[in-house]
Amino acid sequence: MTVKTIKDISNPDTYKGMYSFHKYWGKKPTESIAFFIQNYTNESDIVIDPFLGSGFISRECLYQKRRFIGIDINPFAIEHTNFLLELPKASVFQSALEEIEKNIKQKINETYFTVNREIASHYLWSSGELLKVWMKPKVGRSRIEMETTSFDLEKLESFSQYSIRNIRKLTFFTNSRINSSNQMSIYDLFTRRALHNIDLIMDEIKLFPDAIQKALLLTLTSSSGQMSSMVFAITNRGKIKNQISNKIEVGSWVIGYWRPELHFEINVWNCFESRAKKLYKALIDISDYKYPRHESISGLLKSRQGSLIINDDCIDVMQKIPEKTIKLICTDPPHSDRIPYLELSELWNSILNKNVYFEKEIIVSNAKDRNKKKAEYIEKMKLFIGESSRILTDDGMFLIYFNARDKESWKFLEILENDSNLQFIGAFPMEYSANSVVQDNRRGGMKTDYVLVLKRKGCSIDSHLELNKIPGWSTSIPKIASAT
């Protein structure tokens, strides 16, 4: 295990290997988390993340022999974390992929046959009209582009009545910020041909044991965005000899449920296989760790190692934890109205066939029918701070990763002044957090997240003076929070 230093915090590695396998909004580099786990906790201490998200902190804790509790209202977060803690062997995953390929690759590719029985890799659409068909050449890298033929249109029409079998009905809210409407369905996001082929993949995945099934399903959710009609076409990129290029390139699923007029339909098997190969490569480089898993808080407390992963409201769970038992609370809660996690994860949760309890999410949503207002968010965050204060040990530490564009969203910190045993020590910027397209383009949006460091009131701060060496360290709450 690599020793984490203060220098690592400000110079994190890029997202690579397992960290880049699956998209998740607000994903953070783990160097700062690993540093605090290593330097401010001891073996067998308990670390908790009440807003688990992508779950990578779980592996950091268990690498360093700390007990870990992870909580999230988002079923996807739980599935992804459980996957990280029970990774299959690379050889087992590869065998499963080979079996699926043998059974259905040809069936899927037949749905993309052109009039010459070549296999299409991409279809270019514009405002509901199929414009072009792309194919990969047998030699070289330059794509082959063809005009749409009646054969292509007839092939597409053959799926016009297809109904998805393996994915539950999605719940959407009318939220202009993420381009969603409560009238939408999965058929607005995918062609019916794509859904037919996704069903074929899911039929095969169901045949495998649970552990490998998790890995395969997450491979599918990871690739689902590129399988959708939300992959925009890039035009006029860059300049070549002072002229803008008119070459069309393939974009990606960015954020939300934006369905651009000019977009691609991509061969579903190619999308799935590409992500599977990425995961296989990451699995090769990972040591095979076996971590004890617990089913209850009492079970974890009685043990000296292991983890407990819970899909529930974090405040409800934290109220069941005895006081002064947690050495480190390290979490990245929803940043007011910055990212509506459950709404954005609905596609993945539907593929996983997991039910979602939107009413319990601590969030500010632009979807009026959710009635998730800022005042309720602030009160829930104050309750969260209060429970954190209660369960933190006398020498414990509390880290909150946060970023909000307005002063009001920071008001939950007011509880520190009168109603909490916690005190603010300082903060530092987390400049390498994953950018949010939604946040970065909003007026007043902060361009970096901040890590707020809290300790119990009355605890000696002298022993933590080395925190001053963290680049950007400040003993003041970030400016936007204190601005008038």
Side-chain angles (χ1 to χ4, degrees):
M1 181 183 67
T2 304
V3 175
K4 300 299 178 184
T5 66
I6 284 178
K7 183 179 179 181
D8 293 323
I9 295 176
S10 56
N11 295 282
D13 289 337
T14 57
Y15 297 112
K16 58 185 179 181
M18 190 61 65
Y19 291 83
S20 66
F21 162 62
H22 206 297
K23 174 187 180 74
Y24 192 77
W25 300 276
K27 192 160 51 175
K28 302 296 186 294
T30 59
E31 279 79 3
S32 61
I33 299 171
F35 170 80
F36 281 94
I37 292 170
Q38 180 175 285
N39 292 282
Y40 294 94
T41 68
N42 299 309
E43 286 191 12
S44 296
D45 280 344
I46 302 177
V47 178
I48 185 172
D49 186 347
F51 298 93
L52 187 55
S54 59
F56 284 106
I57 184 177
S58 64
R59 289 184 66 85
E60 290 293 340
C61 288
L62 298 178
Y63 279 154
Q64 300 193 40
K65 298 181 180 179
R66 275 62 167 170
R67 287 175 286 174
F68 177 73
I69 300 174
I71 312 165
D72 208 295
I73 198 68
N74 190 345
F76 170 79
I78 302 304
E79 288 298 300
H80 191 259
T81 303
N82 284 331
F83 158 71
L84 292 175
L85 298 178
E86 298 173 356
L87 292 173
K89 291 183 178 179
S91 58
V92 175
F93 181 76
Q94 184 182 40
S95 295
L97 184 60
E98 289 172 351
E99 182 70 16
I100 294 174
E101 180 177 1
K102 181 181 72 174
N103 292 340
I104 62 168
K105 179 179 179 179
Q106 180 63 20
K107 292 180 183 178
I108 291 176
N109 280 335
E110 285 176 1
T111 70
Y112 300 110
F113 273 172
T114 67
V115 67
N116 298 320
R117 292 188 66 81
E118 300 288 342
I119 302 168
S121 62
H122 299 73
Y123 295 88
L124 180 62
W125 288 78
S126 177
S127 301
E129 180 183 354
L130 189 57
L131 296 183
K132 296 273 189 178
V133 181
W134 292 7
M135 293 170 293
K136 294 180 179 179
K138 293 180 180 178
V139 179
R141 300 181 63 182
S142 297
R143 68 197 184 216
I144 300 171
E145 295 186 22
M146 294 178 57
E147 297 295 329
T148 304
T149 67
S150 59
F151 182 90
D152 299 317
L153 297 176
E154 289 169 6
K155 175 73 73 173
L156 184 68
E157 178 63 22
S158 68
F159 296 96
S160 63
Q161 301 302 312
Y162 187 79
S163 296
I164 191 74
R165 295 182 286 104
N166 289 313
I167 298 177
R168 70 157 172 78
K169 183 179 179 181
L170 282 74
T171 299
F172 291 109
F173 300 92
T174 300
N175 188 339
S176 59
R177 239 189 108 213
I178 59 171
N179 305 102
S180 63
S181 162
N182 59 14
Q183 302 299 312
M184 282 170 49
S185 75
I186 196 167
Y187 301 105
D188 294 304
L189 303 182
F190 296 83
T191 66
R192 292 183 185 253
R193 170 168 47 195
L195 293 174
H196 168 272
N197 294 330
I198 290 171
D199 262 339
L200 290 180
I201 293 174
M202 294 187 74
D203 288 340
E204 292 295 313
I205 290 175
K206 289 179 179 180
L207 301 177
F208 290 93
D210 186 62
I212 195 69
Q213 224 181 93
K214 279 188 173 67
L216 291 167
L217 277 173
L218 287 170
T219 301
L220 181 58
T221 58
S222 179
S223 55
S224 60
Q226 289 303 101
M227 297 173 179
S228 76
S229 301
M230 299 182 286
V231 179
F232 68 97
I234 302 171
T235 57
N236 301 325
R237 170 180 274 182
K239 292 186 177 180
I240 301 173
K241 295 182 179 180
N242 297 320
Q243 293 191 9
I244 296 176
S245 170
N246 59 7
K247 183 179 180 180
I248 295 176
E249 300 178 51
V250 182
S252 62
W253 176 34
V254 184
I255 192 169
Y257 297 104
W258 175 46
R259 290 151 288 157
E261 290 187 6
L262 192 65
H263 67 270
F264 284 98
E265 175 190 356
I266 306 177
N267 183 308
V268 161
W269 177 259
N270 292 346
C271 297
F272 182 74
E273 183 179 52
S274 174
R275 299 310 293 179
K277 287 181 177 179
K278 189 175 187 69
L279 175 55
Y280 171 70
K281 184 177 180 181
L283 290 172
I284 290 175
D285 298 329
I286 292 177
S287 301
D288 185 23
Y289 288 88
K290 296 295 182 183
Y291 305 115
R293 306 294 299 278
H294 298 284
E295 299 298 324
S296 67
I297 293 170
S298 60
L300 180 84
L301 294 177
K302 292 175 184 176
S303 177
R304 298 288 293 170
Q305 58 181 333
S307 64
L308 172 64
I309 311 299
I310 305 173
N311 181 202
D312 205 344
D313 174 74
C314 67
I315 296 173
D316 289 347
V317 175
M318 292 169 74
Q319 288 173 345
K320 300 172 185 176
I321 298 175
E323 64 179 41
K324 297 185 179 182
T325 54
I326 306 299
K327 187 65 174 290
L328 176 64
I329 303 171
C330 183
T331 197
D332 180 18
H335 303 165
S336 184
D337 65 344
R338 188 184 185 200
I339 302 174
Y341 291 97
L342 278 185
E343 293 174 49
L344 290 171
S345 298
E346 176 63 359
L347 173 58
W348 299 334
N349 281 319
S350 70
I351 293 172
L352 296 170
N353 277 288
K354 298 294 182 181
N355 293 321
V356 178
Y357 301 102
F358 288 96
E359 65 276 8
K360 288 188 173 184
E361 187 181 22
I362 300 175
I363 197 77
V364 178
S365 174
N366 293 70
K368 292 182 180 179
D369 41 345
R370 289 194 68 190
N371 197 31
K372 289 287 184 178
K373 305 296 186 183
K374 197 163 292 185
E376 178 190 357
Y377 168 81
I378 293 168
E379 289 307 308
K380 287 289 184 70
M381 286 296 291
K382 286 182 178 180
L383 287 174
F384 163 63
I385 296 286
E387 285 303 314
S388 299
S389 171
R390 186 184 64 81
I391 64 177
L392 197 66
T393 61
D394 288 333
D395 59 345
M397 184 173 284
F398 184 10
L399 309 178
I400 305 178
Y401 291 67
F402 200 72
N403 175 340
R405 67 192 179 107
D406 62 287
K407 179 183 177 182
E408 187 180 2
S409 294
W410 294 72
K411 280 191 173 182
F412 67 88
L413 292 175
E414 291 174 351
I415 192 175
L416 299 178
E417 298 175 7
N418 303 310
D419 302 323
S420 171
N421 292 320
L422 297 173
Q423 61 181 328
F424 173 80
I425 293 178
F428 60 91
M430 176 49 58
E431 299 196 31
Y432 205 81
S433 61
N435 292 334
S436 161
V437 173
V438 170
Q439 175 71 5
D440 290 349
N441 292 325
R442 302 179 78 195
R443 182 163 48 174
M446 301 170 76
K447 302 304 181 185
T448 176
D449 291 354
Y450 284 86
V451 183
L452 312 177
V453 183
L454 311 178
K455 290 282 291 181
R456 275 194 173 275
K457 289 178 180 176
C459 101
S460 172
I461 302 178
D462 293 343
S463 61
H464 303 288
L465 286 178
E466 63 267 29
L467 294 176
N468 291 334
K469 299 177 183 177
I470 297 176
W473 175 262
S474 172
T475 55
S476 300
I477 292 176
K479 288 183 180 179
I480 196 167
S482 57
T484 56

